[in-house]
Amino acid sequence: MKKMWGGRFKSELAEEAKAFSYSLATDFELFEADIQLNEAWVKVLAQAKILKSAEKTKLLKGLASVKKRFMKYYEIDKTPKEFLDLCYEHEDVHSLIQVELEKSAGAVAKKLRTGRSRNDQVTTALRLYLKKVIPELIKSVTHFQKVLVQFAQKNQKVTIPGYTHLQRAQVVSMSHAILAYVEMLERDKERFQDALKRIDVLPLGSGALGGATYSLSRDNLKKLLGFSKVSDNSIDATADRDYVIEVLSGVSQMYIHLSRLSEDMILWNSTEFDFITLDDAYATGSSLMPQKKNPDLFELTRGRSGKAVGHLVSALMNQKGLPLCYNRDLQEDKEDLFPALHLAFATLEVLQGAIKTTQVNHLNCQICSEDSFLYATDLLDYLVGKGLSFSDAHRISGEIVQYAISEGFELDQLSLDVYQKLCSKVDKSVYKIYNPTVSITKKKTHGSTSPSSVKKQLVKWKNKLK
Ligand code: ARG
């Protein structure tokens, strides 16, 4: 098949070299962006009088027909054989479009390559692609946040033991714990939004590395393609893939959040915690043990976080030690970027369903929240309220805990006599602290787990996530 180079070569590329280097199977994902870029290039060449008006029309028509013919391969599952043949014939998506355009528009298509290199083309197409996909990813995160907020809203009254070091620590509201993940995801969106600022710069017009000899208006290109800025250095513009790393880093961070959420869901779903029950549609059985109901989707999310981060590490290593400017190594960026993005979309989607259908085991949450040792801090605060210094109160409440453990009592089972022996300031009002609602309601600081604070958070998210 015809390539975009070859004049100085006597022979064809070896078959195994083709197989090793051709990238259409991956970079076809840039097809739409590359067509769009070509259309803008045609218009700018025409403005610069490099193309006559009739040539411009012919090329735009040609591009439209190439688009029409090949868009169907976005659903490649339907025509795998045909698509594989194309991947074998064409070096990359840019070659495919060029060769096919020559077929549909004739010799004038050759003029389209004036002043342009695939080096500025590929990075422009990739930026265009991300300008479209990142806002979609942000939307998808927002959707997921909404599901979490709904879950939090529905279970506002539920309390659970909160853990530090995976040891029962204090009673918290389950909604508060869930809303912690909504905060994390919000920061993830901010990172994507921020990356968009640096993605939104037009490299086209930088040529292979040194710029173009033709007086082409990069400003018009910018407008036609909807970029906010034009790059100022053609070497940087063709060599830069920072933005790929930024996106992969954002995806990795988000995926780590999803992995941590999954771990909580796995724990909460276990017999030992028993805070939630997963819906049958989002759990799996064991081929051996009939009683099992496994949280596989959350486990796969936790497991695949390694893949998400792996793509980031791979892209970083890919760029380490690259001399200026473009090197073929950079073709590999898409091998990391696309799978990482696909994984992010797929995970958000499946977790949405899994969370939406999860049932909370109210009774057990209540029982677990009544574990008296969760109230040791409340006891400490009670003693402070009775006039003890914090450090004396800490020591004495520790002694009370120690006594209860050694005598085999719950804290709320100790008699008033015992309390008063250990601290004369204690009176019968101490028994009121052993109550989940009382405990969380006493929290006063902004952002705490108190019902009013949780309510405020829910209102904030409902307004923010519209
Ligand atoms: N397919 C290449 C990539 O994705 C673009 C082509 C640039 N190739 C070249 N030999 N200058 O990076």
Side-chain angles (χ1 to χ4, degrees):
M1 175 54 68
K2 235 170 135 205
K3 326 190 262 298
M4 295 176 74
W5 46 273
R8 62 102 65 225
F9 289 84
K10 284 198 192 128
S11 72
E12 269 277 312
L13 194 63
E15 287 307 307
E16 69 275 25
K18 283 186 188 171
F20 192 72
S21 61
Y22 280 18
S23 60
L24 183 63
T26 302
D27 62 28
F28 185 77
E29 194 148 344
L30 296 179
F31 178 78
E32 220 179 346
D34 209 54
I35 291 277
Q36 195 191 346
L37 173 164
N38 274 299
E39 286 166 350
W41 194 249
V42 168
K43 290 176 190 164
V44 167
L45 286 179
Q47 280 163 1
K49 310 262 184 279
I50 294 165
L51 290 176
K52 296 191 191 96
S53 162
E55 291 176 323
K56 168 180 150 184
T57 313
K58 210 168 182 187
L59 283 174
L60 289 177
K61 262 197 182 152
L63 283 167
S65 95
V66 173
K67 182 169 175 183
K68 207 165 156 209
R69 275 184 55 212
F70 290 92
M71 276 304 277
K72 63 177 179 199
Y73 294 116
Y74 269 150
E75 297 159 59
I76 54 171
D77 287 352
K78 292 195 181 122
T79 45
K81 166 81 172 81
E82 269 174 73
F83 187 70
L84 284 179
D85 288 347
L86 278 181
C87 294
Y88 180 75
E89 276 173 44
H90 298 280
E91 194 176 324
D92 56 21
V93 66
H94 322 292
S95 320
L96 168 84
I97 293 174
Q98 182 64 36
V99 169
E100 293 300 327
L101 186 63
E102 283 176 28
K103 282 190 206 158
S104 62
V108 63
K110 295 180 183 173
K111 283 196 176 181
L112 181 62
R113 290 173 55 188
T114 314
R116 196 177 69 180
S117 153
R118 276 180 298 165
N119 298 356
D120 59 350
Q121 193 175 343
V122 65
T123 186
T124 303
L126 197 51
R127 284 171 184 269
L128 273 175
Y129 168 89
L130 285 172
K131 267 163 64 79
K132 196 169 158 203
V133 170
I134 297 299
E136 281 169 19
L137 183 59
I138 292 173
K139 254 193 226 151
S140 181
V141 179
T142 302
H143 250 93
F144 185 53
Q145 284 177 301
K146 282 189 192 166
V147 168
L148 291 174
V149 171
Q150 274 159 17
F151 186 90
Q153 171 86 37
K154 202 165 110 195
N155 297 294
Q156 245 186 102
K157 297 237 152 66
V158 179
T159 56
I160 50 169
Y163 292 74
T164 63
H165 311 269
L166 205 53
Q167 304 282 319
R168 284 190 175 179
Q170 294 178 5
V171 175
V172 293
S173 126
M174 182 183 256
S175 303
H176 196 52
I178 291 295
L179 292 175
Y181 285 105
V182 181
E183 295 281 347
M184 294 178 221
L185 292 164
E186 189 65 17
R187 293 196 292 277
D188 293 330
K189 291 197 309 193
E190 283 171 19
R191 271 181 278 270
F192 291 133
Q193 204 70 53
D194 198 58
L196 271 176
K197 281 192 257 167
R198 284 169 293 280
I199 290 168
D200 196 12
V201 180
L202 175 83
L204 199 60
S206 298
L209 72 162
T213 328
Y214 309 87
S215 41
L216 301 164
S217 167
R218 295 191 67 208
D219 208 51
N220 281 344
L221 272 178
K222 178 189 91 171
K223 284 183 199 132
L224 286 167
L225 292 171
F227 280 93
S228 303
K229 278 194 220 148
V230 171
S231 63
D232 289 331
N233 181 311
S234 60
I235 287 183
D236 178 46
T238 49
D240 170 29
R241 294 292 186 282
D242 297 5
Y243 61 97
V244 172
I245 286 176
E246 275 194 72
V247 170
L248 287 171
S249 159
V251 169
S252 298
Q253 178 62 80
M254 180 184 79
Y255 218 93
I256 293 297
H257 289 150
L258 298 179
S259 178
R260 292 184 69 170
L261 170 67
S262 297
E263 173 63 5
D264 272 329
M265 289 301 176
I266 292 164
L267 286 173
W268 289 6
N269 181 61
S270 67
T271 313
E272 284 69 16
F273 279 71
D274 197 23
F275 295 169
I276 54 171
T277 302
L278 301 181
D279 193 83
D280 283 3
Y282 293 93
T284 54
S286 158
S287 53
L288 180 70
M289 299 161 282
Q291 87 283 12
K292 294 289 289 295
K293 187 169 167 189
N294 298 326
D296 288 26
L297 299 166
F298 292 109
E299 290 172 305
L300 285 168
T301 300
R302 193 178 55 186
R304 286 178 188 167
S305 60
K307 288 204 173 110
V309 177
H311 287 304
L312 167 65
V313 174
S314 163
L316 283 165
M317 290 304 101
N318 175 264
Q319 295 184 40
K320 171 189 170 293
L322 280 193
L324 291 173
C325 314
Y326 176 84
N327 299 270
R328 191 68 179 271
D329 315 44
L330 292 176
Q331 177 170 290
E332 296 299 285
D333 58 1
K334 293 169 280 306
E335 300 281 344
D336 286 313
L337 186 64
F338 297 158
L341 287 169
H342 298 163
L343 181 62
F345 278 110
T347 308
L348 286 165
E349 196 187 330
V350 79
L351 291 190
Q352 260 181 55
I355 302 271
K356 234 188 228 170
T357 52
T358 291
Q359 293 299 322
V360 170
N361 304 338
H362 293 261
L363 182 60
N364 193 52
C365 289
Q366 174 72 24
I367 292 168
C368 292
S369 297
E370 282 167 1
D371 169 357
S372 69
F373 290 98
L374 285 167
Y375 301 86
T377 314
D378 299 82
L379 178 60
L380 187 164
D381 290 336
Y382 172 86
L383 296 179
V384 170
K386 293 285 177 197
L388 272 73
S389 72
F390 191 89
S391 59
D392 283 345
H394 192 281
R395 180 178 46 77
I396 294 171
S397 50
E399 285 164 8
I400 297 172
V401 167
Q402 161 66 26
Y403 179 85
I405 292 171
S406 61
E407 296 300 313
F409 285 112
E410 289 294 324
L411 287 176
D412 58 349
Q413 288 172 339
L414 296 175
S415 69
L416 192 57
D417 267 5
V418 170
Y419 270 114
Q420 286 176 340
K421 245 181 233 145
L422 291 161
C423 179
S424 60
K425 300 260 171 83
V426 176
D427 58 44
K428 67 177 190 329
S429 63
V430 73
Y431 296 104
K432 292 203 183 118
I433 67 171
Y434 298 107
N435 175 298
T437 312
V438 169
S439 175
I440 56 172
T441 307
K442 271 195 307 208
K443 296 278 195 297
K444 289 200 174 67
T445 48
H446 175 82
S448 77
T449 191
S450 72
S452 67
S453 161
V454 170
K455 233 178 229 137
K456 263 190 218 151
Q457 294 177 60
L458 286 168
V459 170
K460 167 181 113 173
W461 290 120
K462 267 187 251 149
N463 290 330
K464 208 168 172 155
L465 300 175
K466 268 178 199 153

